[in-house]
Amino acid sequence: MQNLQWYPGHMAKTRRLIEANLKLIDVVVEILDARIPFSGRNPHFDDIIKNKPRLLVLNKADLADKNRTKLWIDWYAEQGLKVIPISCTTGMGINTVIAEARALIQDKIDRERERGRNRTLKIMMVGIPNVGKSSLINRLIGKASTKTGDKPGVTRGKQWLRIKGDAELLDTPGILPPKFEDQTVAVKLAYTGAIKDEIMNTELLAYSLCDYLRDNYPNELCTRYKLDTVEGLKGYEVLEKIGKKRGFVISGGEIDMERAANMVLDELRGAKIGHITLETPSQLNEQE
């Protein structure tokens, strides 16, 4: 697998924007992709945000493995972090986001109310690219006022937005770490589309994805692509069988592996293979 790095100039600018505005903020809402609840976090956020109250939101929970989502909610609770699963597609959990964020500073709100002041809750929204921040904001404010897209790097600049229920939201563009210390993290980000496909070898990416699915979701893989078994096969052999089943045959009887790779990645991202989560807390411990 190639060494993946992707850090456009606007991401460095975003870090400075977050640091400059943090003093104005009550609560940071960090959006994660529920399919990569650990790899989908920018580890630099801990240094930037420090002790500011933080709510973790697992978006795309409708695409993820529910049993694994529960494991991650419990794991983060042990780290002292509140996590809620949501789906911007179905609307699941959206109405709880502001209430849970407010609950993190309820004591402060109550103290100010006793002094006769009504506090406007100020939230900063952060996350890596392509986790659905703009979609969540549009849900929260009830209209499409921010650009959304299924490719990383759509949101740019600083936007303050008014939310129903006496709250204001500062949106920030998605930001990845400037360097991936662990390439397995980078690969998982690439699986879900947080890193642009254009900068990577999608065939190699699909090979490693097929390896993971073979070991963790063999039934879903076989059912989706009508395979008898994937046991004992290497990732590229699994992809080759998939390409053959789908009729991706080119001249000389060879399989169009690039086409098969792009299809498998697209179908993972669209949950057509099944409800897939690409890591568990126990697998994280094994890696360490």
Side-chain angles (χ1 to χ4, degrees):
M1 176 59 63
Q2 73 204 86
N3 194 307
L4 295 175
Q5 302 294 340
W6 188 60
Y7 194 70
H10 78 270
M11 292 192 183
K13 183 179 177 183
T14 298
R15 175 171 180 144
R16 293 193 294 272
L17 183 149
I18 292 171
E19 290 172 332
N21 288 279
L22 204 57
K23 61 182 177 294
L24 307 174
I25 301 300
D26 296 310
V27 178
V28 174
V29 174
E30 184 178 348
I31 316 300
L32 307 174
D33 186 325
R35 298 166 298 177
I36 46 171
F38 183 82
S39 298
R41 294 189 73 194
N42 184 332
H44 290 210
F45 282 147
D46 289 337
D47 295 331
I48 299 169
I49 295 166
K50 297 184 172 65
N51 296 323
K52 187 71 70 171
R54 187 171 0 174
L55 175 68
L56 302 187
V57 173
L58 292 182
N59 188 28
K60 307 186 184 184
D62 56 316
L63 307 180
D65 181 329
K66 289 181 180 178
N67 293 328
R68 290 188 170 191
T69 297
K70 178 66 167 62
L71 292 175
W72 281 109
I73 290 171
D74 293 344
W75 187 83
Y76 275 120
E78 291 173 6
Q79 323 297 315
L81 288 167
K82 175 70 176 180
V83 182
I84 56 172
I86 70 162
S87 168
C88 290
T89 303
T90 68
M92 179 192 79
I94 300 293
N95 292 335
T96 65
V97 173
I98 301 304
E100 292 288 357
R102 184 176 280 108
L104 293 177
I105 63 157
Q106 192 61 53
D107 289 348
K108 185 184 285 188
I109 292 171
D110 291 342
R111 284 197 301 272
E112 295 206 0
R113 189 174 290 140
E114 287 171 6
R115 295 173 191 149
R117 288 186 236 160
N118 284 326
R119 185 185 188 86
T120 298
L121 179 68
K122 292 188 179 293
I123 297 171
M124 179 184 285
M125 193 85 73
V126 301
I128 66 168
N130 206 35
V131 291
K133 282 195 293 91
S134 296
S135 297
L136 175 56
I137 291 165
N138 291 339
R139 283 274 191 174
L140 291 174
I141 64 177
K143 60 183 178 179
S145 71
T146 58
K147 287 185 179 180
T148 62
D150 60 0
K151 293 196 173 184
V154 172
T155 305
R156 298 288 176 91
K158 172 181 170 180
Q159 300 183 77
W160 275 103
L161 300 162
R162 188 80 181 178
I163 303 175
K164 289 176 287 187
D166 198 28
E168 289 182 357
L169 175 69
L170 176 61
D171 184 24
T172 61
I175 176 174
L176 288 168
K179 183 179 180 183
F180 296 117
E181 303 296 341
D182 182 351
Q183 281 295 299
T184 62
V185 168
V187 167
K188 289 172 192 173
L189 290 167
Y191 290 156
T192 60
I195 298 175
K196 289 183 176 180
D197 287 342
E198 291 89 336
I199 71 161
M200 67 190 70
N201 185 319
T202 53
E203 284 184 47
L204 292 178
L205 190 64
Y207 295 163
S208 65
L209 174 59
C210 286
D211 277 330
Y212 187 85
L213 295 175
R214 175 202 63 212
D215 295 340
N216 291 270
Y217 293 97
N219 293 336
E220 288 83 351
L221 194 59
C222 289
T223 299
R224 177 62 185 170
Y225 298 111
K226 299 180 170 58
L227 306 176
D228 295 330
T229 182
V230 291
E231 188 177 353
L233 297 179
K234 292 182 170 62
Y236 74 88
E237 293 172 323
V238 173
L239 189 66
E240 193 170 40
K241 287 185 75 169
I242 290 171
K244 189 173 182 180
K245 278 285 185 181
R246 288 293 174 94
F248 297 165
V249 183
I250 52 180
S251 59
E254 289 186 24
I255 304 301
D256 187 339
M257 297 293 274
E258 183 179 1
R259 186 180 174 193
N262 289 332
M263 180 198 65
V264 169
L265 289 167
D266 285 344
E267 295 202 343
L268 172 84
R269 294 165 187 171
K272 292 182 179 177
I273 299 173
H275 295 90
I276 307 292
T277 298
L278 295 160
E279 55 196 5
T280 65
S282 61
Q283 288 171 350
L284 180 66
N285 293 334
E286 289 166 12
Q287 289 172 17
E288 291 177 349

